[in-house]
Amino acid sequence: MTRLPGIRVAGVLRNGDKILFQRNKKGDAWVLPGGRAEVNEPTEEIVVREFLEELGFQVVIDRLIAIIENFNAYEYESLHEFGMYYEVKLLGQLPHNS
């Protein structure tokens, strides 16, 4: 069965010379915060929602910085996705331990 590629949307949050990453659900890789796109959900809204849900951070979109096509990322067989990566800015302060 042929499946259509998925769409993953993620945000790049910089703090000086550092970029925020988090563990994926399986815990076997570090990824940029984000999630899967749903039908009729604008990708910019996904990034904002995922940062709030996963990290408790309120962010705003700065700009789209990359669209990357991935095949079998993290050795997941049959994974084919397009990743849309946005630079985001934090509203407020990062916690002290970030």
Side-chain angles (χ1 to χ4, degrees):
M1 175 170 78
T2 302
R3 291 186 343 191
L4 293 174
I7 298 175
R8 183 172 190 280
V9 184
V12 177
L13 177 61
R14 298 174 195 265
N15 182 20
D17 62 349
K18 298 176 183 175
I19 295 176
L20 178 69
F21 284 87
Q22 69 181 81
R23 286 266 188 205
N24 67 351
K25 287 182 181 177
K26 286 178 65 175
D28 60 356
W30 290 96
V31 297
L32 293 165
R36 299 260 170 236
E38 299 292 330
V39 175
N40 294 322
E41 183 178 21
T43 56
E44 295 92 341
E45 290 179 14
I46 296 168
V47 172
V48 171
R49 176 178 49 79
E50 291 290 341
F51 266 83
L52 190 57
E53 285 178 2
E54 294 178 9
L55 304 168
F57 294 172
Q58 289 188 320
V59 298
V60 294
I61 301 294
D62 187 27
R63 64 191 175 108
L64 178 66
I65 56 175
I67 299 173
I68 300 171
E69 185 175 19
N70 292 308
F71 295 95
N72 302 324
Y74 313 109
E75 300 179 7
Y76 295 165
E77 279 192 41
S78 303
L79 176 71
H80 182 194
E81 69 181 10
F82 290 93
M84 299 183 69
Y85 299 90
Y86 288 92
E87 187 168 4
V88 299
K89 296 206 183 294
L90 183 67
L91 296 176
Q93 301 281 334
L94 281 172
H96 292 295
N97 60 353
S98 299

